[in-house]
Amino acid sequence: MNSAEYSINSPENDITLVSISGLTIKLHKNDVFLKLEAKGPLKRACTPFLNMINSRLKDEKPALVTEDYIVASTWLPPIPGKVFNRLLLAEVQTALGRYVPETVSFEITRKCKCQCAHCVISGGEGELDTSSVKKVIDEALDMGAFIITFTEGDPMLREDIFELIEYVDKERAIVNMYTPGTEMTPEAARRLKEAGLYNLLISIYSTEPRKHDEVRRLEGAFEKATSAMKIGLEAGLLVTMCTHVSPGNIDELPAMYEMATSLGVHEFSLWESIPKKPEDPILSDLQRKEILDMYRRINSSKGGPRIFANTYFEGRMLGCMAGQRWLHVCVEGSVKACPYIPFSYGNVSEESLKTIWKRIRKSPYYRGERYTCKMHEPAFLELVRGIPQDESAPYDFRLLEKEPR
């Protein structure tokens, strides 16, 4: 059964989600389906993204259904709801050429018991303090962000993480949090739920504990991660099991999905591995097709968690989000177009997030429709080669532009 076949417990057949000059977007529902419909002069600009949402509601199973709302994906706000309305407004702005940083992710601490080689934590020293993080959260929400994500190192090792999660206005944004799971306890999960965490994300790199522990470089990491997912589910959190798909582990995806099913998580999230240097291996087109085939097969079937795959979401649906729908704030305040691009475009300790966003939007590297990751493009990786070897990431892109070729 797909999302569109579920009804929402509301006496109204049409729920107005957005009403602005020139545009009204309503959620039409009856006993068998949900559909977004637009009216007004701006309807034509909105039709492409509304069609994409309606197609997903029609063809794919949801992550969660309650009497009051549907979670089409753990990466998206519930439908209907005030945060979903902000998603629609952001997409209206994008359709009109005024891009909004819909997702703002924060490296929240350097502390972590794992030592993963793929970690993108920035170099340098220091961390943004509580008031500084709150200030940037406010700026992000004022700019239109509706997803706030706390990530590297392990947010559970930051003392104010519950305060920061609670601080985010839940009528304006959902809050996601990545953690390797080493610090999760029933009490911690309860506090996360009370603070308003929307989605708990925990990565698994192999169904074999030894291989997972080798990636994490921490003995017992697999057991901690699986336990954390179970604890999160028991606390009533949305839980997403994630993995980075590489040429070395793509054959494990079916077994990983079976693991996600047995754990009872809401979604299995697949992110393509990102090269740090030009010679690092990336997925082939044939391997990406395998992911897309799995995505369509699983999401059109009944039972089990749904699948999120950025191979589809960014590779087919929206395009690469870096610098168009995504901003990433590093632990010391520098700002990148996404977590994986090793260039900074400013620091929130020195200027506003809005000023930095405008600088990124002026860059030709983040304009136009792009359906591949910038870090998968050979020409962009050549820019990465230009980072001096003695410099730690992220490297100020403005300095690179001044250096002789």
Side-chain angles (χ1 to χ4, degrees), residues 8-129:
I8 295 173
N9 186 21
S10 170
E12 302 176 23
N13 288 327
D14 292 294
I15 304 172
T16 299
L17 304 180
V18 171
S19 182
I20 59 175
S21 179
L23 180 68
T24 299
I25 300 177
K26 292 187 176 183
L27 177 67
H28 178 73
K29 72 178 189 67
N30 59 30
D31 291 338
V32 294
F33 74 92
L34 301 173
K35 184 179 181 181
L36 296 169
E37 296 180 338
K39 292 183 179 180
L42 295 178
K43 175 182 177 179
R44 178 176 294 182
C46 302
T47 295
F49 77 80
L50 289 180
N51 285 346
M52 286 190 289
I53 295 173
N54 284 330
S55 176
R56 303 285 67 74
L57 289 173
K58 178 176 180 291
D59 298 332
E60 298 178 4
K61 62 186 175 187
L64 178 68
V65 177
T66 75
E67 290 185 351
D68 300 315
Y69 59 83
I70 286 174
V71 177
S73 167
T74 58
W75 291 97
L76 298 174
I79 308 171
K82 292 183 178 180
V83 182
F84 183 73
N85 297 353
R86 282 172 61 85
L87 177 155
L88 294 175
L89 286 170
E91 286 299 322
V92 170
Q93 295 294 315
T94 297
L96 297 175
R98 298 191 288 267
Y99 284 81
V100 171
E102 300 176 357
T103 294
V104 177
S105 50
F106 289 80
E107 291 174 11
I108 207 66
T109 182
R110 299 180 190 279
K111 298 175 183 176
C112 187
K113 291 182 178 177
C114 302
Q115 300 291 326
C116 308
H118 63 264
C119 184
V120 296
I121 194 77
S122 62
E125 298 179 354
E127 299 177 358
L128 292 175
D129 61 21

Side-chain angles (χ1 to χ4, degrees), residues 13 61 79 109 155 157 174 182 202 209 226 232 261 279 287 315 322 381 396:
N13 288 327
K61 62 186 175 187
I79 308 171
T109 182
L157 288 172
I174 58 174
T182 60
I202 297 177
T226 53
T261 301
E279 58 269 23
Q287 289 170 326
L381 285 172
D396 190 329

Side-chain angles (χ1 to χ4, degrees), residues 163-196:
E163 179 182 349
L164 292 173
I165 292 171
E166 186 175 16
Y167 182 77
V168 179
D169 185 345
K170 306 309 184 301
E171 293 192 349
R172 303 175 77 189
I174 58 174
V175 184
N176 300 333
M177 186 186 78
Y178 276 98
T179 174
T182 60
E183 310 307 306
M184 190 60 66
T185 64
E187 172 63 14
R190 181 190 64 78
R191 292 185 65 189
L192 290 171
K193 177 70 174 178
E194 290 179 351

Side-chain angles (χ1 to χ4, degrees), residues 7 18 28-29 82 147 149 161 231 297 353 359:
S7 61
V18 171
H28 178 73
K29 72 178 189 67
K82 292 183 178 180
I147 299 174
T149 300
I161 187 60
I231 291 172
R297 183 179 69 256
L353 190 67
R359 183 175 298 128

Side-chain angles (χ1 to χ4, degrees), residues 206-221:
S206 173
T207 56
E208 297 181 36
R210 176 185 58 80
K211 290 183 178 180
H212 176 87
D213 290 0
E214 286 176 353
V215 173
R216 288 297 195 193
R217 297 179 181 175
L218 179 69
E219 186 176 352

